[in-house]
Amino acid sequence: MYDVIIIGCGCAGISAAIYAKRSNMDVLIIESNAPGGQINKSSIIENYPGFESIDGPSLAYNMFNQLQKMEIPYKYGKVIDIELENNKKIVITDKERIETKTVIIASGRNPRKLNIENEDKLSSRGISWCAICDGNLYKDKNVVVIGGGNSAAEESLYLSKIAKSVTIINRRNELRADESFINELKKKNNIKILYNYKPLKFIEEENKFSGVEIQNTIDDKKETIKCDGVFIFIGYEPETTFCKKLNITDENNYIIVNDKMETKIDGIYACGDVIKKDLYQIVTSISEGAIAATSAKKHVD
Ligand code: NAP
């Protein structure tokens, strides 16, 4: 039986694993995707102390490398359920049942979809949710970015260095992104922002992605923007389907924790982007991972 199983190997899970291992706990980390989580999809990170500027995959690699050097057991697998049995918990993956004294949920979030016509059909054939993964496919081409938050702004700046043009479609008359990003966007000649437009459907011509139909939210007029690719950055959905039965989430499926990262179930903790909080940042996730592991240690002791 493990002392702690950490679900998710993004920055919150990695931080929890480092603190758990250093406090002598028997720890296992389980992940169903590439280690590093959302950081892998960030082009440039400039607000993580110690790194003036670093690309996401390099930071993710550094973190995972540290985990491996500390010989923290890591397993690839998809968690589908957590069962409670007296004083122990059973983490059920698609392959096995693993017993543990405590669980730290650090499963993060997935990019949200628009749920409009042709989105699934043209996914990876013109529609992407990751600029750093797919941006290079659009060298000197015209791309559209949908969304107006920090992700849309940050990734538009990244894409503007590769693509010929970037058109941001924002559904309101102002961006949600931080002022520093907005100032950077204004400096770019090849970034255009369309305000008060919502996407209606993606266009397919001769079996190929060719653009997006948008509608003005003030006068309802529709128009089509021809482009080579579109990137969707409209927020995230927490990855909590596997713990629905535990009833530890709010109405938006984020896990509710206190300042010790405790959920309402004894011995189950959560940290990082999967929890309900005000600030979704690498620094906050890392700090919450450390707190969750410290709370788990006290419980085990
Ligand atoms: P977000 O802040 O929730 O912004 C989502 C954007 O998408 C908003 O502009 C929203 O419009 C728009 N949107 C949502 N649903 C839409 C729909 N159906 N159709 C069209 N537009 C839609 O999400 P995010 O930008 O991914 O950021 C998530 C969190 O991570 C935030 O807390 C952010 O600060 C943080 N983050 C930080 C950094 C950084 O500090 N470097 C970088 C990336 C992300 P409305 O404004 O009208 O709702």
Side-chain angles (χ1 to χ4, degrees):
M1 169 142 49
Y2 286 95
D3 288 329
V4 59
I5 289 183
I6 298 164
I7 302 172
C9 192
C11 61
I14 291 176
S15 164
I18 291 169
Y19 275 75
K21 174 82 180 190
R22 284 171 60 87
S23 67
N24 242 344
M25 280 202 278
D26 204 0
V27 47
L28 171 69
I29 186 159
I30 304 176
E31 169 63 68
S32 61
N33 271 306
Q38 288 297 327
I39 300 180
N40 280 309
K41 297 180 179 172
S42 291
S43 46
I44 288 288
I45 293 157
E46 295 184 333
N47 54 5
Y48 184 58
F51 296 88
E52 210 175 302
S53 180
I54 184 166
D55 65 281
S58 297
L59 184 58
Y61 176 81
N62 289 352
M63 289 182 183
F64 187 58
N65 212 15
Q66 187 173 355
L67 202 76
Q68 288 196 305
K69 282 199 176 138
M70 289 176 72
E71 296 179 353
I72 294 171
Y74 170 88
K75 219 173 228 193
Y76 177 81
K78 189 161 179 57
V79 173
I80 49 178
D81 203 359
I82 301 171
E83 279 178 8
L84 309 176
E85 206 181 285
N86 303 323
N87 275 337
K88 67 183 179 193
K89 278 96 193 143
I90 303 160
V91 174
I92 302 166
T93 73
D94 46 355
K95 300 185 192 84
E96 59 194 315
R97 295 167 62 88
I98 317 170
E99 294 189 357
T100 177
K101 292 175 192 162
T102 64
V103 176
I104 296 177
I105 302 173
S107 46
R109 310 190 282 182
N110 295 315
R112 195 179 280 147
K113 285 183 171 183
L114 283 160
N115 292 321
I116 59 173
E117 197 178 327
N118 283 335
E119 187 175 16
D120 286 336
K121 193 175 176 197
L122 297 171
S123 151
S124 306
R125 292 173 48 215
I127 302 177
S128 170
W129 286 262
C130 177
I132 196 152
C133 322
D134 300 325
N136 274 332
L137 301 172
Y138 300 98
K139 191 162 168 42
D140 299 325
K141 297 194 170 171
N142 301 308
V143 298
V144 158
V145 166
I146 297 172
N150 280 339
S151 300
E154 192 168 36
E155 303 311 321
S156 294
L157 290 167
Y158 172 76
L159 287 167
S160 72
K161 293 179 204 146
I162 303 168
K164 187 160 125 195
S165 76
V166 179
T167 305
I168 301 176
I169 312 280
N170 186 50
R171 65 179 175 183
R172 288 186 296 124
N173 62 355
E174 57 179 4
L175 297 177
R176 186 190 282 267
D178 294 349
E179 214 171 313
S180 58
F181 281 129
I182 295 176
N183 291 339
E184 288 301 310
L185 290 174
K186 281 183 189 157
K187 287 185 202 156
K188 295 281 176 183
N189 292 329
N190 63 342
I191 297 183
K192 181 165 101 182
I193 307 173
L194 295 181
Y195 294 97
N196 301 314
Y197 277 97
K198 63 177 184 191
L200 286 184
K201 64 174 177 186
F202 296 109
I203 318 284
E204 186 184 28
E205 281 173 335
E206 293 169 9
N207 234 355
K208 270 175 69 185
F209 173 89
S210 71
V212 53
E213 185 178 83
I214 57 173
Q215 183 173 35
N216 190 294
T217 53
I218 296 166
D219 62 15
D220 283 346
K221 268 196 190 143
K222 292 179 187 172
E223 57 185 273
T224 296
I225 301 196
K226 290 263 182 198
C227 59
D228 300 293
V230 61
F231 289 82
I232 303 173
F233 300 111
I234 58 160
Y236 296 87
E237 304 275 1
E239 178 61 66
T240 47
T241 37
F242 63 89
C243 55
K244 238 188 174 98
K245 271 190 345 209
L246 298 178
N247 203 17
I248 52 176
T249 54
D250 69 1
E251 66 283 5
N252 296 317
N253 301 320
Y254 283 90
I255 299 179
I256 300 165
V257 291
N258 62 14
D259 59 359
K260 294 183 180 128
M261 302 302 131
E262 294 165 329
T263 67
K264 68 178 183 191
I265 298 175
D266 209 27
I268 298 194
Y269 310 85
C271 53
D273 281 1
V274 77
I275 66 170
K276 167 86 185 128
K277 58 177 173 175
D278 289 332
L279 191 58
Y280 292 87
Q281 293 282 320
I282 300 170
V283 281
T284 53
S285 292
I286 282 188
S287 135
E288 293 147 13
I291 296 169
T294 308
S295 298
K297 170 71 177 163
K298 279 186 189 147
H299 181 96
V300 168
D301 284 350

